[in-house]
Amino acid sequence: MKRIFKKKNAALTNKLKGAIAEISIDVFGYEKKISHNIINHTRNIATWENVLSERLYLRISQEEHKVISNLYDQDQHIKSVPTDELAFFFLEEGIAVLPNVRNKIAFSIKKYLKEFATANQICEQDVQIWLNVKQDVVTVKAFHNKTYIKEISLLSLIKYFK
């Protein structure tokens, strides 16, 4: 009887270790603030473009070591988003206008794309991150070119912005 209990404990311990490895804590509330900024900026763009905000996707990738961002209405390209404007998705307007902050956002995204590519054994140039807002919740999905890889937490992306 003792052996059976130990085996169950070992299995439970392994499950808990796996679950805990995925947990991250947002002590300072960065995720809530950045999520709020993404939602508001997406709503503003939806109003300007006269589309539903839930149909908008911000797609971020890297090309020749440069961050490329594009805005889509579902699969229809609306416009390219320059790095200067990209900062407004993640930061409050007063902070996003600062030049050194805009550069830091681009650098942080490049770093994230590189580490994600390495972890998933794919080329950096093939990684795409798609951000979308549905029912006031920001979803972040990773793609290898156009092939879906997985959903990632916003916190895992923004931890590079600190």
Side-chain angles (χ1 to χ4, degrees):
M1 178 108 167
K2 226 177 191 182
R3 276 190 180 157
I4 294 171
F5 186 70
K6 284 185 179 180
K7 283 183 182 180
K8 285 183 181 178
N9 252 355
L12 180 60
T13 302
N14 289 337
K15 287 179 183 177
L16 286 173
K17 283 181 184 176
I20 290 173
E22 296 293 320
I23 294 176
S24 57
I25 299 171
D26 186 17
V27 177
F28 299 106
Y30 290 125
E31 183 175 20
K32 185 176 180 181
K33 291 175 190 174
I34 291 178
S35 181
H36 178 74
N37 291 335
I38 292 170
I39 291 167
N40 284 340
H41 197 66
T42 302
R43 283 182 184 155
N44 290 340
I45 290 174
T47 302
W48 297 329
E49 297 293 334
N50 199 25
V51 296
L52 295 173
S53 61
E54 292 189 353
R55 293 176 51 101
L56 291 178
Y57 286 86
L58 177 66
R59 297 182 187 181
I60 303 170
S61 59
Q62 185 174 229
E63 194 174 286
E64 297 178 16
H65 304 290
K66 183 179 177 188
V67 173
I68 305 296
S69 304
N70 291 289
L71 196 62
Y72 286 82
D73 176 359
Q74 299 272 333
D75 282 333
Q76 184 178 352
H77 185 263
I78 296 176
K79 68 176 189 167
S80 295
V81 179
T83 307
D84 292 354
E85 186 180 336
L86 186 59
F88 288 93
F89 277 94
F90 299 103
L91 304 171
E92 294 173 4
E93 190 173 331
I95 297 169
V97 296
L98 301 171
N100 59 338
V101 172
R102 290 183 259 176
N103 292 336
K104 183 174 174 29
I105 291 290
F107 177 78
S108 298
I109 290 172
K110 282 174 54 173
K111 186 175 178 184
Y112 179 81
L113 293 172
K114 180 179 182 170
E115 289 186 19
F116 185 87
T118 302
N120 290 279
Q121 300 176 340
I122 55 179
C123 177
E124 289 175 48
Q125 308 293 330
D126 294 339
V127 177
Q128 288 188 19
I129 303 299
W130 294 16
L131 283 89
N132 176 253
V133 176
K134 285 201 191 252
Q135 298 176 348
D136 290 336
V137 176
V138 177
T139 59
V140 184
K141 296 180 181 177
F143 289 80
H144 177 231
N145 291 318
K146 299 251 181 187
T147 305
Y148 176 77
I149 299 174
K150 64 181 177 179
E151 188 165 327
I152 55 178
S153 71
L154 180 60
L155 188 57
S156 71
L157 174 62
I158 64 175
K159 72 180 180 183
Y160 288 83
F161 298 172
K162 299 174 188 172

